[in-house]
């Protein structure tokens, strides 16, 4: 997908503030910490078509509205992913601005997870 220059500029700026983590690191962290939240921030249709088996869903469009309802503790460890690792950088940046202290963006997102053989399921 070709991304617009303005979008890429937003991503580059947010990346200076966001911690990113690989799919392999995410897998290892999930094994070590069962309370860690894997959060899919893609659109509802993307989620329904396929998502990580252990993920929970909160689309980017409603994240600011619903994040505190889903995870009231700002110390909750959260790894967010999207389709390719761009939108999750933005959602992590927003979560940090909301006071969340331990959020990470999964590098390469859903595509990277599929390439590493991550267990997936779908709602369709």
């Amino acid at each position: 997908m070709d991304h617009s220059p303005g979008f890429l500029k937003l991503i580059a700026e947010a990346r200076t503030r966001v911690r990113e983590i690989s799919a392999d690191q995410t897998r290892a962290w999930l094994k070590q910490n069962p309370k860690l939240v894997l959060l899919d921030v893609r659109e509802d249709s993307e989620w329904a078509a396929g998502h990580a088996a252990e993920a929970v869903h909160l689309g980017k469009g409603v994240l600011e509205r619903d994040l505190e309802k889903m995870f009231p503790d700002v110390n909750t460890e959260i790894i967010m992913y999207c389709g390719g690792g761009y939108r999750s950088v933005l959602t992590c940046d927003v979560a940090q601005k909301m006071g969340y202290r331990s959020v990470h963006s999964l590098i390469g997102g859903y595509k990277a997870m599929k390439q590493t053989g991550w267990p997936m399921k779908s709602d369709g």
Side-chain angles (χ1 to χ4, degrees), residues 18-77:
V18 170
R19 294 167 296 222
E20 294 184 280
I21 183 171
S22 72
D24 289 336
Q25 288 172 306
T26 298
R27 191 181 315 240
W29 282 22
L30 282 167
K31 284 181 184 175
Q32 293 173 1
N33 182 359
K35 292 183 180 181
L36 180 70
V37 174
L38 183 60
L39 185 62
D40 186 320
V41 298
R42 298 175 302 150
E43 299 294 322
D44 293 349
S45 61
E46 294 173 289
W47 165 264
H51 55 271
E54 62 273 85
V56 293
H57 182 242
L58 181 59
K60 181 181 179 300
V62 295
L63 184 112
E64 296 88 346
R65 184 191 73 193
D66 295 346
L67 186 62
E68 292 170 306
K69 291 176 194 167
M70 286 182 76
F71 309 105
D73 182 358
V74 296
N75 293 309
T76 302
E77 291 185 88

